[in-house]
Amino acid sequence: NNEVVKKGIAGFTAASAVGSNINSILGRTQGIILNPNLELLFQGPTLRPFAFEFKLSPRSRAEAEEIVKIIRFFKQGMAPIREKSRLFLRTPNTFRIKYVQLGNDSESSFMNKFKECALQSLSVEYAPEGTYATFSDGKMVSYQLSFTFQEIEPVFNDEYEEDGDTTIGF
């Protein structure tokens, strides 16, 4: 029975009918807009993105070869996979990331956890020192890798361990 609510409903109906933004219609016709604080209400779970950067500087020919393999592994792993028929594509590989506690190879309790992730982007800077420099075989003396991963499933409240709040969790 509130006049403002009636105006809002009328504006929503008009905006829906013409495919416009409700705030545009209400602002033009009645000089009001929806309270933007209402838009902060829960809209659903989100998938968390994570960015990582690593600078890799080989000290030997063997380390340089390993870095090339690492870069190729991630570039190839993030690419979609074609079926032999080429009619269908398979999803790219996914990754399980964790921070490892130094010394005992177990997951750190004091860093955040990750769910399974897709590698969304990988950029490689081939001259992070600002100068083009290679070893005699042509491999770069330094690489800067920038990764962006995104979890493929949201985190839910009940997935946190009941451990007396001694770990960070997700």
Side-chain angles (χ1 to χ4, degrees):
N1 294 332
N2 187 321
E3 285 302 313
V4 175
V5 173
K6 289 179 183 177
K7 288 179 182 181
I9 292 171
F12 177 76
T13 305
S16 297
V18 298
S20 182
N21 181 324
I22 186 171
N23 280 335
S24 296
I25 297 289
L26 288 174
R28 289 181 185 161
T29 60
Q30 306 190 29
I32 59 174
I33 63 167
L34 288 175
N35 181 347
N37 292 337
L38 295 177
E39 294 178 18
L40 296 176
L41 295 176
F42 178 70
Q43 299 292 317
T46 59
L47 301 175
R48 301 181 305 166
F50 297 95
F52 299 97
E53 288 199 13
F54 298 97
K55 188 178 209 175
L56 306 176
S57 300
R59 296 171 292 190
S60 67
R61 180 181 303 257
E63 283 186 4
E65 290 169 1
E66 286 300 312
I67 290 172
V68 169
K69 289 177 185 177
I70 290 168
I71 293 170
R72 179 176 172 127
F73 170 81
F74 283 108
K75 282 187 168 193
Q76 188 172 4
M78 69 184 285
I81 302 163
R82 286 193 282 208
E83 288 283 322
K84 285 187 179 186
S85 68
R86 301 202 180 224
L87 182 60
F88 297 103
L89 295 175
R90 292 191 177 275
T91 58
N93 294 324
T94 57
F95 300 88
R96 295 188 187 272
I97 303 168
K98 68 178 180 179
Y99 294 111
V100 177
Q101 184 70 37
L102 186 63
N104 62 8
D105 200 32
S106 64
E107 190 167 15
S108 174
S109 299
F110 308 107
M111 300 285 287
N112 63 297
K113 291 184 180 184
F114 305 93
K115 287 198 165 190
E116 190 171 353
C117 293
L119 179 53
Q120 290 192 307
S121 69
L122 166 63
S123 63
V124 181
E125 188 176 337
Y126 295 94
E129 310 300 336
T131 304
Y132 177 81
T134 66
F135 292 109
S136 60
D137 63 358
K139 292 180 182 78
M140 303 304 294
V141 298
S142 190
Y143 300 86
Q144 178 81 30
L145 280 64
S146 299
F147 297 88
T148 303
F149 289 92
Q150 185 165 13
E151 289 175 323
I152 60 174
E153 171 184 333
V155 175
F156 296 98
N157 179 291
D158 61 350
E159 294 176 316
Y160 282 81
E161 294 178 40
E162 292 295 330
D163 61 3
D165 298 337
T166 60
T167 61
I168 301 284
F170 291 96

